[in-house]
Amino acid sequence: MKTITQLKKRLALPQTSWQLCLLAAIGGFASAMLVVLFIFTIEGVQSFFLSEKDDYSSLTPLSRFQLPIIGAIVILFFAWLTGYKYIRSGIPFVLHRLKIANGVMPFRNTVNQFMGSAVALIAGFSVGREGPAVHLGAACTSYIGNKLNLPYNAIRSLSACGIAAGIAACFNTPIAAVLFVMEVILREYKVHIFIPVMIAAIVGSMTTSTIFGPTHEFGHFTAITINTDHYLALALLGIVLGFFAFIFNRYLILVIKHSAPFHIVSRILTAAIITGALGYAAPYAMGTDLSAINFSLQNNFQLQLLLGLLVAKVLMTIFALGLGIPGGIIGPILGIGAIAGICGSVITSYFMTGDISASDFALMGMAGFMAATLNAPLAALLCVVELSDQIEIIVPAMIVITSACVFSGQFFGNRSIFIMQLEVQGLPYRRPPIEKSLQRIGVIGVMDENITLLHKATDETITTALINQNPQDNVICKITSTDNQTEFIFYQQSQAKIDDVPTIEKHTLIPLSSQSTLAEAYLLLVKTRAGGVYIYQDNPDEIMGIISFDYIRSYLLKGNTY
C-alpha cells in the first residue's frame, strides 16, 4: 500500500517519470488494440456487401440510397438504448471532457461512439475514423487511470496519450499524432506530458503496423515533382483553400445551430436521406476519403466531374456531421482537400506549361485545407509528410499552409472547427488561468502529512498542542458526532492578539479525494480564502494530509510546489 501511495505521489507532480511513461506505453497498446477492433468491425461487415472496402460504386443506385437509411436506424437503436443521453462523442466532446472532467470519459458515450461510428462508416456516411479513434483512445487510457485511482492530473495526461495512440494507430502517423495532441487537444507544450505522449504514439503506430503492415492507406502518392516554378500557384491554392475552409466551417456550424431544436431521430434520418440521395448520383463521395481520392486521381483531367464530386463530398460531410452522425472530421477534410487540390492542378495546367502532378496538388490540398479548417498548421504539415513518406514536400506544403491559415484567419476570422463546435453546442472547454495552472498538480503529491491529531478538543489540550508541537506540525482535532459524522477541525495561532496573547483560529477542513488536483482544492477555498482541505484515500473518516489555502496562495505567488 505504501508503495502504491508513493507512486501516486510521484504521478501527482508535473514531472517526467518512468512510471507515467510505462503507463503511457500500456495505455497506448490498449488504445491501439481497441482501434484495431474498431477497424476490423468496419471492414469485416463491409466485406459482406462491398467488392472492396469503401467502394460503394459496386452497389446498385437503389442500394446506395437505402444503405445510409438502414445505418441511421441502427444508430438510433443504440442511442435509444441509452435514452439519447449519451450520444455526444468525437473530438469536440473529448476536448470538453479533458478540460472539464480531467479526461474521464462516460462509459455509455464510449459504447455509442464505437457502435454508432462503426455503423456510420459501414453505411457510407462521409465521416472519418479518427474521431472515434480519439474518443476510444482517451476512454481506454482514462479507464486504466481510474481503475488505479491515479490523480486526476495523471489521468488527464494518460487521456492525451490515448488520443495520440488512437490517431497514430488510425493513420500510422506518430509524429503528426503527437503534434495534433499538443496543438489541438492540449494546446500547450510541457515536457512531462510530451514524452509520454510520444511513447504512446510510437506504441500505437507499431501495434497497427504489426497487424496491418508498415504501409498506410495513402501510399499510392507518387514522388513529388513540384519545383520553384509552382510556388506562386501553390500560394494561390492556399488562399483558395483558406476561403474554402471558412465556408466549410461556417456552414457546418450553421447546420449544427439550426438543427439543434429538432429531435435526434429526425436529424439522423434527414442526414441519412441526404447521404443516400447524393450517394445515388455520386457513389465515390460516400464513405471516408480513400474512395474519393482514388477516383479523383484516376479522373484528374475531367474538371466538371471533379467539381461535382467536390460539391457532393462537402454537402455529405456538412450534413452528416452537422446533424449528429457519429464520426470524425479529419478523414473527410483530407478527402475534400485532396479533391480541391486536384481541381487546382487541372486549372493550373491551363496557365502553365510542363507536367503538373495531380498527386502533388492533392497532397498540397490536404495540407492546406486541414491546416485552415482545424487551425493546426504543424499537425497538418507533419500529417502529409508522413502520409507521403517524402521529406521534400515540406517547403511546398508550408507555402500552402501559411497562405491558407493567414488568409482564412486574417480576412475571415476563421478558427478551429472543434472550438466552434464546442461553442455552438454550449460545451465549456476553457478554465481560468489560475485553475489551469493548478490542474497540473495532484493534491496527494503536495499535501502536508505533518499532523498532530487530537481526539479531544478542549482549550487546554489545544493550547498545549499549539505551544509544544513541532513547528512543522498541524494541530487537527477529529470530532465524531452522535450520528457518526466525522469532522476534522484545523487549529492555528492567529496574527491577531488580545492582551499580547495570540488568539486561536479554527477551521473545519473540507474533505477532498486523493485523486483531486489543486484546482479542486482552490475552488473549495477561494470564497473564504482561509482554512484548508483534508485529503482522504478511500474512507472520508481517515485523514492522509491537509492542504491549506495559505499553501495554495504561496504556490501561486512563488510558482513551485516545494
Side-chain angles (χ1 to χ4, degrees):
M1 179 64 71
K2 186 176 180 180
T3 303
I4 294 175
T5 302
Q6 291 298 323
L7 170 63
K8 293 178 180 179
K9 289 180 179 179
R10 176 74 178 179
L11 294 174
L13 297 175
Q15 299 174 351
T16 304
S17 64
W18 68 264
Q19 295 95 335
L20 184 59
C21 292
L22 177 61
L23 288 171
I26 296 171
F29 176 75
S31 300
M33 291 305 297
L34 192 56
V35 172
V36 168
L37 177 63
F38 180 72
I39 294 173
F40 275 145
T41 301
I42 296 167
E43 295 182 355
V45 176
Q46 283 185 340
S47 65
F48 287 106
F49 62 92
L50 296 180
S51 58
E52 296 181 12
K53 64 178 181 179
D54 290 330
D55 182 16
Y56 295 93
S57 63
S58 60
L59 298 176
T60 64
L62 182 59
S63 297
R64 291 197 299 268
F65 178 77
Q66 294 172 336
L67 183 60
I69 298 175
I70 296 172
I73 294 172
V74 178
I75 292 171
L76 289 170
F77 171 73
F78 285 107
W80 171 77
L81 289 177
T82 57
Y84 303 109
K85 294 179 181 179
Y86 298 93
I87 56 176
R88 292 193 184 277
S89 59
I91 296 177
F93 181 74
V94 173
L95 267 169
H96 161 70
R97 296 295 299 182
L98 200 67
K99 296 295 183 182
I100 304 304
N102 296 296
V104 177
M105 308 296 294
F107 178 73
R108 293 186 181 182
N109 286 83
T110 305
V111 172
N112 272 333
Q113 175 71 97
F114 187 100
M115 301 305 300
S117 297
V119 172
L121 286 160
I122 292 168
F125 286 99
S126 183
V127 294
R129 296 178 180 177
E130 76 296 324
V134 164
H135 192 133
L136 295 175
C140 186
T141 48
S142 69
Y143 179 79
I144 293 173
N146 258 332
K147 276 297 180 182
L148 297 174
N149 288 319
L150 297 182
Y152 285 135
N153 64 310
I155 294 177
R156 180 173 177 267
S157 298
L158 282 177
S159 295
C161 294
I163 293 169
I167 295 176
C170 196
F171 288 113
N172 194 17
T173 55
I175 301 176
V178 172
L179 284 177
F180 179 83
V181 169
M182 295 297 174
E183 190 175 35
V184 177
I185 304 297
L186 296 178
R187 306 181 79 180
E188 61 179 351
Y189 291 85
K190 300 293 181 182
V191 174
H192 71 279
I193 300 178
F194 195 88
I195 293 175
V197 167
M198 289 179 65
I199 292 172
I202 293 169
V203 172
S205 181
M206 290 177 61
T207 302
T208 50
S209 295
T210 302
I211 296 173
F212 297 113
T215 58
H216 45 66
E217 295 175 326
F218 296 88
H220 54 263
F221 286 112
T222 58
I224 188 170
T225 58
I226 290 177
N227 54 52
T228 54
D229 294 336
H230 299 114
Y231 283 2
L232 177 60
L234 292 179
L236 294 174
L237 175 64
I239 291 173
V240 174
L241 290 171
F243 176 72
F244 194 24
F246 161 71
I247 296 296
F248 178 84
N249 285 5
R250 175 182 173 83
Y251 281 97
L252 175 56
I253 295 303
L254 285 176
V255 171
I256 294 174
K257 181 178 179 180
H258 293 296
S259 64
F262 298 96
H263 194 273
I264 186 64
V265 173
S266 59
R267 285 190 278 134
I268 294 293
L269 290 177
T270 301
I273 293 171
I274 292 173
T275 298
L278 291 169
Y280 185 95
Y284 293 100
M286 297 181 71
T288 177
D289 47 6
L290 286 177
S291 179
I293 294 174
N294 289 333
F295 177 79
S296 300
L297 288 173
Q298 294 167 5
N299 299 272
N300 59 301
F301 292 109
Q302 302 179 33
L303 184 58
Q304 290 182 334
L305 189 61
L306 290 173
L307 291 175
L309 178 62
L310 179 62
V311 171
K313 188 68 177 176
V314 169
L315 291 176
M316 274 190 186
T317 304
I318 287 176
F319 283 107
L321 295 174
L323 293 174
I325 297 295
I329 193 175
I330 297 178
I333 66 175
L334 287 176
I336 291 169
I339 302 170
I342 296 170
C343 291
S345 70
V346 175
I347 295 172
T348 302
S349 65
Y350 295 151
F351 303 98
M352 296 183 63
T353 58
D355 293 334
I356 297 176
S357 172
S359 173
D360 293 350
F361 272 69
L363 285 169
M364 297 299 103
M366 291 163 65
F369 193 64
M370 176 180 174
T373 304
L374 305 184
N375 195 22
L378 283 177
L381 175 63
L382 269 297
C383 180
V384 294
V385 169
E386 289 187 289
L387 288 176
S388 64
D389 290 327
Q390 300 180 72
I391 199 73
E392 298 82 6
I393 203 174
I394 289 180
V395 174
M398 288 174 67
I399 293 173
V400 177
I401 288 171
T402 51
S403 57
C405 288
V406 170
F407 188 78
S408 179
Q410 183 73 30
F411 293 97
F412 297 101
N414 193 40
R415 296 178 296 156
S416 169
I417 185 60
F418 300 135
I419 301 301
M420 296 170 72
Q421 283 179 282
L422 286 167
E423 290 177 350
V424 76
Q425 292 172 352
L427 295 174
Y429 65 95
R430 289 178 177 170
R431 301 191 76 164
I434 288 179
E435 293 178 30
K436 189 175 179 180
S437 174
L438 297 174
Q439 197 179 26
R440 302 188 184 108
I441 305 167
V443 292
I444 193 173
V446 294
M447 65 183 180
D448 191 346
E449 299 178 76
N450 298 312
I451 295 172
T452 298
L453 188 62
L454 305 177
H455 294 276
K456 186 177 181 181
T458 65
D459 292 342
E460 183 178 351
T461 57
I462 293 168
T463 303
T464 302
L466 286 172
I467 293 173
N468 299 328
Q469 68 169 333
N470 184 315
Q472 295 180 343
D473 279 4
N474 302 281
V475 177
I476 297 172
C477 183
K478 181 178 180 180
I479 300 175
T480 303
S481 62
T482 54
D483 56 353
N484 291 324
Q485 295 295 318
T486 300
E487 285 188 343
F488 291 93
I489 310 299
F490 175 43
Y491 295 93
Q492 59 183 158
Q493 292 188 25
S494 172
Q495 298 295 327
K497 296 182 179 181
I498 299 177
D499 297 330
D500 293 329
V501 178
T503 58
I504 298 175
E505 290 183 354
K506 71 174 184 177
H507 304 280
T508 300
L509 294 175
I510 303 172
L512 189 63
S513 167
S514 60
Q515 285 188 281
S516 304
T517 67
L518 279 181
E520 284 77 43
Y522 170 80
L523 291 174
L524 289 173
L525 301 173
V526 66
K527 288 185 178 180
T528 60
R529 296 185 177 272
V533 297
Y534 76 89
I535 312 304
Y536 67 89
Q537 180 83 16
D538 299 312
N539 184 4
D541 294 342
E542 299 294 331
I543 184 172
M544 297 178 65
I546 74 166
I547 293 179
S548 65
F549 186 77
D550 290 338
Y551 171 82
I552 298 175
R553 182 192 290 114
S554 176
Y555 168 74
L556 292 173
L557 292 175
K558 297 178 181 178
N560 61 65
T561 58
Y562 306 103

